[in-house]
Amino acid sequence: MDRSLVLIKPDAIQRALAGQIISRLERKGLKIIAMKILHMDKDLAQRHYAIHKGKPFFDDLVSFITSSPLIAVVLQGENAVQIIRQMMGETDPAKASSGTIRGDFGIDIGRNLVHGSDSPENARTEIDLFFSAEEIFDYDRELDTWIY
Ligand code: IDP
Ligand code: MG
């Protein structure tokens, strides 16, 4: 089973879209195994987005992601990483297909509502940045026999 780190970014919280976004992921059949609201500080933001350091949008990205609280969620399911990337849509909401989170709710690349891990390996690193082992719950759900 894959795990993925999803961030409901500050723009989604400010626009009161958090519930709708989490609901889409939950309805798909993905299992919520950890969740918290937090205000990212600069240090965490720079570590989470370390791969983008030096790019022209990096400073704006760090300042945006630390501008207001966000919700971090860990979702689990078969192919969760790939499924969530598909459900998020392309990075630029203007190019993202309708039916995706970014395609349905966003306009600007710097305000694209969600983060989702791009590989199972990166998911593990990202989950460790946001959650301790005690904050992650791997429980059974009866309904999973109707999803798989
Ligand atoms: P992703 O979120 O779809 O994985 P990445 O390329 O990993 O996209 O970029 C991380 C985040 O940085 C994006 O979600 C977006 O918020 C921001 N970003 C990426 N490219 C640009 C850009 O060209 N201009 C402004 N912000 C960008
Ligand atoms: Mg990325």
Side-chain angles (χ1 to χ4, degrees):
M1 286 277 174
D2 273 6
R3 289 177 174 184
S4 181
L5 178 80
V6 169
L7 301 178
I8 315 295
K9 293 182 178 179
D11 52 332
I13 307 288
Q14 289 287 342
R15 293 176 56 199
L17 293 171
Q20 287 195 57
I21 292 169
I22 293 164
S23 178
R24 285 185 179 214
L25 300 166
E26 196 181 29
R27 276 183 339 207
K28 176 72 173 168
L30 298 164
K31 178 161 68 175
I32 297 170
I33 60 168
M35 180 154 69
K36 66 168 77 160
I37 186 161
L38 73 151
H39 197 136
M40 273 175 90
D41 62 16
K42 217 175 154 197
D43 177 62
L44 180 58
Q46 286 178 341
R47 285 199 281 157
H48 174 70
Y49 282 123
I51 192 164
H52 298 299
K53 204 171 159 80
K55 293 187 185 165
F57 59 85
F58 183 73
D59 288 347
D60 284 347
L61 177 58
V62 169
S63 117
F64 160 67
I65 207 78
T66 59
S67 64
S68 181
L70 54 71
I71 293 175
V73 191
V74 182
L75 291 147
Q76 183 170 286
E78 273 176 28
N79 297 314
V81 165
Q82 184 207 330
I83 287 168
I84 291 166
R85 295 289 296 188
Q86 246 166 32
M87 292 179 73
M88 285 164 43
E90 283 195 44
T91 304
D92 184 352
K95 297 184 185 142
S97 305
S98 291
T100 65
I101 295 165
R102 289 163 167 173
D104 287 350
F105 298 132
I107 290 178
D108 187 298
I109 193 167
R111 302 283 184 272
N112 63 3
L113 302 134
V114 277
H115 165 85
S117 308
D118 63 7
S119 71
E121 300 69 42
N122 287 342
R124 278 190 282 276
T125 312
E126 292 176 1
I127 290 167
D128 285 348
L129 275 181
F130 286 83
F131 294 95
S132 66
E134 303 76 52
E135 291 174 320
I136 300 172
F137 297 87
D138 193 359
Y139 54 96
D140 290 329
R141 294 191 310 186
E142 300 254 338
L143 64 76
D144 280 322
T145 57
W146 298 98
I147 293 170
Y148 299 104

